[in-house]
Amino acid sequence: MTIRVIWITLTYLSDDTKSSSLIRYAIRIGGVAGDGLQSTGSLLQKYFNRLGYYVVGHPGTQSTIRGGHVWQHVEISSQEIFSFDRPLNFLIALSEETLEVHLRDMKENSYVLINADKVKIEKFHQELIQRKIKVLSFPLSKLSREIDVKRAVLANTIAIGALITLLGIPMEGYIDTLRKRFGGREKLLDMNLKALDLGKTYLRENYLDAFVSVTPATLEGMKAIVISGNEMIALGATASGLKFLAQYPITPASSILTYLSNKASRYGIVVRQAEDELAAITMCIGAAYTGVRVMTASSGPGISLMSEAFGYAGMTETPIVIVDSMRAGPSTGIPTKMEQADLYSIMFMSHGEAPRAILAPRSIKEAFDVTVKAFNIADKYQLPVVILSDFALSEQTASIDEFELDVEINRGKIWTKATDEHPKYKRYELTEDGISPRAFPGTKDAEYILVGAEHDEDSHSLSGNRAGLPESWDLREKMFKKRFRKMELLRDEMDGPELYGVKNADYTVLCWGSTQGAVREAIDGLNQENSTSWNMLSFVDLFPFPFEKFLPFIKNIKTSIMFEVNYTGQLENLIHHHTDWKPTHSIRPLHGETPTPSSITLEITELLNQEENQ
Amino acid sequence: MTETKKKINIKLFKGSVKPNWCPGCGDYGLLSATTKVLAQMGYEPHNTLIISGIGCSSSFPHWTTAYGIHMLHGRALPAAMGAKMVNPSLNVVVVGGDGDGYGIGAGHFIHAARRNLDVTYLVMNNQIYGLTLGQSSPSSQIGHITLTTPEGVDERPINPIALALGAGASFVARGFTGDTKHLAGLVQQAFEHTGFSFIDVLSPCVTFNKLNTYDWFRERVYKLDDENHDSTDIGQAFVRGQEWGERIPLGIYYQSKMFALHQTDPTSRDRIPINEPLGFKKQNISYESVFNDFK
């Protein structure tokens, strides 16, 4: 069997050999599900954030509760970073499989800390020596038993104690992080503190000269937070005035539900776990009709189930926000891997033709603003708005500066009583902009029936005894045009792509959504490495596609590469549909792993080499 | 109520659009009973929300003056849940047919019941698919010859009473549109009940169901009230719930007092969400407390 390498260690990224102090340091901890890696990863990220480092975290999960192979990646830097990357400086191997999977990612002069009680190192010996990887062999199981026989997870804390000692950075911050985590549970805290100390002592006693220098942190400690994409969406929704969330658990959207469930009362949101996704979205429609801002979240399989109700929301002009955290499909696909393959299915979701909007945040930071925009668009244009996230964006974590939580809220046209402009309430009044005022139950003289059938201005159904009558022909056409007039107005509000880099680069890479950070770092690397110049065009607002804002870029594009994680080239085709423009090349990785700067660089390099050889 | 002397407009909830149901349809009986009871109990159209699914009977909201949602097939109850939870001050009535509630929407039925969602659910059960011109329904009787069962129905019909009891509904009743006075009494008690109140309304289809006719029911129905039924005893309720065929009980099978969902929900138990301010700042939530979770 040949293993296809999907990433490489590039010289520009591995600064270790040239400088004695590392700007960027990548740590990974691997083991089996149930080893408490996510918790350890979270503590570690909070610790580095506390010290003032930029932090990015990425979970490597499987659909497994116990066993299997899982890992947690934590990358820190004293300069701003936009993605995690494959190459590793430090690996904690709690299982042998961890070495089998991650050894290939290890840089020269990197360290691997193994649990000697579980990992047989012999078969890796030669490779470790050849690649100058240093081994720290810790009997972690035995050491953790010395503290408490029942708490195997203390092994993680011992390893962290060793890591912090190796890096020569202050241990106090980690103690504070543990103290916050175990607040009140003194016994647990005490055991962890002992474990931390044991890690430090064991390293010093057995590996006296092991030392790594990382450049000092540049941020003021405790000013930033470490947060996931899903949590940012949840905060964006709360800031926007969310009052009702109904959701059915599914990877990788569940953490929106779990986070907001725990905040429901405090944030004033009714949070309900629905019996299925059909219920989740129709609960939202009921709540939205009643007058509040609503949201549901899911991933491909659940989104597919919402299809009929999605059309209903479009037809009845009911504002709802839906988060689609994309995972690899079709069908069950690979639930714990990312993909960008739901753009089409959302564009065309549900039978018939109904308006909708699609936004794809490009970073954890941006997820907040995009969510706020989604709610305002939903209310203003009275349609369903989909936030296209994906496994990588939803479940990754990053340190970001605290930010303004007070946002502009635009609830759109709402009728509360008779005015000169709208003396008599008509839910679907035919207006110039296609937008008619909403009224909510409780309002007098505005009673109407929300109906998925085609309807007249008063929302009386045209489906029953009026179907086929000449008066209905005209109304049907007027109502259709009204709904789609909104789409043209909305298109003006959609942002065009953002240019990163020089205007007239030799090469342009185009991307959308969560891959933006990794593409950006790849571009930076290529600009440093090559004599050629590179720039990037990244899209957030996808539908209705703002083609007029893309057109001005075309004349400056020389050789272009469209990068998206799907098979059919979904955004590429959408762009082509509107503009007739096609990129020179396309890269559509399907290996399931989250694209990283080095994997993208490799793919670009291979593509260009093939071109040269032809 | 202090305004008990106020003259009641019994037609307050009667809509201006004429129903397009067949003459003689059982659904007229429930429509008139419901609109009358709503007016008599002092509700007003602007604080009443009637939600339906799809089917003949689901056109119900259109024939009233209240707010309404004519939802997707089978999804009336989840829509009602969204509405009730963000505005518990509304009187939410859910109506539909047996195909809508016991077929495509059966999943939501049991979950609304177990949640004790404070809505009244009125199922106009005619044991046939009328709007699609006569296919068998989940409550069609064994042996019933329909468009889709040329040799007669060979699947056992659903038992809505036992299903609702099993799912934990706190008010389970059965009415008959051939006795609108008794039916109106049940509807009123259902509206007065806090929690999930369910009435299986036997509502003959005069066009497509020639088996379960008004006469067929009249020969079989009896009132639980006439037979010393204890509606607080779930064991008795289950026993009565098994009766069908020779004798069909009408009335309240079971009723119990328990908290409704909006009374236990961490948010709606102490506020009406639609009236609450939006965002962190206006809700007086300090930024520090929000960010502290992530440090």
Side-chain angles (χ1 to χ4, degrees), chain A residues 289 425 427-428 439-440 446-450 458-459, chain B residues 66-69:
Chain A
Y289 169 82
Y425 182 68
R427 172 63 188 95
Y428 299 107
F440 307 132
E447 295 86 349
Y448 75 98
I449 314 290
L450 193 73
D458 291 314
S459 195
Chain B
Y67 276 97
I69 303 178

Side-chain angles (χ1 to χ4, degrees), chain A residues 180 269 272 402 404 442 450, chain B residues 46 70 265 267 287 292 295:
Chain A
K180 192 177 169 209
I269 305 165
R272 303 306 321 180
E402 288 183 6
E404 180 58 55
L450 193 73
Chain B
H46 73 272
H70 192 168
D265 179 89
T267 301
Y287 291 9
N292 193 38
K295 285 180 176 173

Side-chain angles (χ1 to χ4, degrees), chain A residues 396-587:
Chain A
Q396 257 183 58
T397 39
S399 58
I400 54 168
D401 287 336
E402 288 183 6
F403 51 93
E404 180 58 55
L405 288 170
D406 195 37
V407 300
E408 198 193 311
I409 293 172
N410 180 352
R411 294 237 47 203
K413 290 188 196 170
I414 293 169
W415 192 95
T416 52
K417 57 177 194 286
T419 58
D420 291 343
E421 199 189 346
H422 304 284
K424 185 178 171 290
Y425 182 68
K426 290 178 176 178
R427 172 63 188 95
Y428 299 107
E429 188 177 330
L430 290 164
T431 56
E432 205 175 312
D433 59 7
I435 304 166
S436 2
R438 303 171 69 210
F440 307 132
T443 310
K444 286 183 180 169
D445 304 321
E447 295 86 349
Y448 75 98
I449 314 290
L450 193 73
V451 60
E454 190 59 275
H455 39 255
D456 63 16
E457 287 183 275
D458 291 314
S459 195
H460 291 145
S461 164
L462 302 184
S463 86
N465 293 356
R466 290 163 78 190
L469 300 186
E471 61 159 276
S472 302
W473 306 348
D474 185 41
L475 261 173
R476 164 75 168 164
E477 200 172 317
K478 279 183 179 155
M479 282 297 162
F480 232 108
K481 285 181 177 164
K482 159 191 162 38
R483 288 191 290 272
F484 278 89
R485 272 205 297 284
K486 298 191 300 183
M487 287 298 274
E488 288 317 307
L489 271 183
L490 174 56
R491 199 190 299 279
D492 291 341
E493 212 170 301
M494 295 279 109
D495 287 330
E498 189 188 1
L499 176 72
Y500 174 73
V502 293
K503 204 171 166 188
N504 294 297
D506 302 323
Y507 291 92
T508 299
V509 182
L510 299 94
C511 62
W512 60 278
S514 76
T515 57
Q516 179 265 158
V519 171
R520 174 185 171 146
E521 287 198 6
I523 299 289
D524 287 344
L526 289 162
N527 273 328
Q528 275 179 37
E529 289 251 312
N530 292 283
S531 50
T532 50
S533 60
W534 293 74
N535 67 13
M536 169 179 76
L537 280 174
S538 59
F539 293 83
V540 192
D541 295 352
L542 303 182
F543 195 85
F545 186 68
F547 60 91
E548 280 172 342
K549 288 173 184 151
F550 174 66
L551 291 172
F553 289 101
I554 293 179
K555 63 176 189 299
N556 293 323
I557 297 176
K558 293 173 187 165
T559 304
S560 56
I561 301 170
M562 183 86 205
F563 184 89
E564 54 184 326
V565 188
N566 56 54
Y567 184 80
T568 47
Q570 302 190 1
L571 184 63
E572 181 179 321
N573 290 335
L574 180 61
I575 294 173
H576 184 249
H577 167 80
H578 283 286
T579 63
D580 222 24
W581 178 87
K582 259 189 167 313
T584 326
H585 306 287
S586 307
I587 294 176

Side-chain angles (χ1 to χ4, degrees), chain A residues 277-299:
Chain A
E277 288 86 350
L278 298 90
I281 187 170
T282 47
M283 283 175 187
C284 284
I285 290 170
Y289 169 82
T290 309
V292 297
R293 287 191 150 183
V294 302
M295 183 167 87
T296 184
S298 191
S299 189

Side-chain angles (χ1 to χ4, degrees), chain B residues 23-67:
Chain B
C25 173
D27 297 353
Y28 285 104
L30 183 71
L31 178 65
S32 89
T34 307
T35 51
K36 272 180 200 158
V37 170
L38 281 169
Q40 281 163 353
M41 289 178 73
Y43 289 110
E44 292 178 273
H46 73 272
N47 57 28
T48 302
L49 175 56
I50 306 178
I51 304 181
S52 65
I54 295 289
C56 293
S57 57
S58 284
S59 290
F60 190 112
H62 293 281
W63 326 135
T64 76
T65 54
Y67 276 97

Side-chain angles (χ1 to χ4, degrees), chain B residues 2-21:
Chain B
T2 51
E3 295 175 71
T4 41
K5 292 273 184 271
K6 194 177 158 186
K7 197 166 179 279
I8 288 160
N9 173 11
I10 207 79
K11 290 183 176 171
L12 184 62
F13 281 87
K14 198 169 176 279
S16 58
V17 186
K18 244 183 93 187
N20 59 5
W21 291 327

Side-chain angles (χ1 to χ4, degrees), chain A residues 46 49-50 177 180 222-228 231 234-236 238-244 259 261 263-276 278-293 308-310 312 368 401-406 409 411 439-453 459-461 464-465, chain B residues 16-21 44-52 54 60-87 90 104 107-112 114-115 261-262 264-295:
Chain A
K46 285 179 178 174
N49 179 53
R50 205 177 263 263
T177 311
K180 192 177 169 209
M222 294 302 279
K223 279 285 174 204
I225 58 171
V226 177
I227 190 166
S228 73
E231 288 161 340
L235 287 189
T238 311
S240 302
L242 179 73
K243 292 288 172 211
F244 187 81
Y259 174 71
S261 294
K263 296 288 167 196
S265 170
R266 189 160 164 65
Y267 290 178
I269 305 165
V270 175
V271 178
R272 303 306 321 180
Q273 183 173 328
E275 58 269 36
D276 54 43
L278 298 90
I281 187 170
T282 47
M283 283 175 187
C284 284
I285 290 170
Y289 169 82
T290 309
V292 297
R293 287 191 150 183
E308 188 193 13
F310 190 87
Y312 183 93
F368 182 87
D401 287 336
E402 288 183 6
F403 51 93
E404 180 58 55
L405 288 170
D406 195 37
I409 293 172
R411 294 237 47 203
F440 307 132
T443 310
K444 286 183 180 169
D445 304 321
E447 295 86 349
Y448 75 98
I449 314 290
L450 193 73
V451 60
S459 195
H460 291 145
S461 164
N465 293 356
Chain B
S16 58
V17 186
K18 244 183 93 187
N20 59 5
W21 291 327
E44 292 178 273
H46 73 272
N47 57 28
T48 302
L49 175 56
I50 306 178
I51 304 181
S52 65
I54 295 289
F60 190 112
H62 293 281
W63 326 135
T64 76
T65 54
Y67 276 97
I69 303 178
H70 192 168
M71 235 300 159
L72 296 168
H73 198 17
R75 317 294 162 213
L77 282 167
M81 176 155 153
K84 185 72 186 183
M85 294 305 287
V86 299
N87 189 357
L90 295 174
I104 192 167
H108 307 309
F109 176 36
I110 56 179
H111 290 284
R114 79 175 170 86
R115 287 175 178 130
L261 189 64
H262 71 273
T264 56
D265 179 89
T267 301
S268 60
R269 69 185 168 208
D270 55 19
R271 66 205 112 162
I272 294 179
I274 55 149
N275 297 334
E276 291 294 305
L278 309 183
F280 290 103
K281 206 172 184 177
K282 294 211 171 90
Q283 292 188 103
N284 291 319
I285 301 163
S286 81
Y287 291 9
E288 197 191 341
S289 72
V290 175
F291 292 133
N292 193 38
D293 291 339
F294 303 105
K295 285 180 176 173

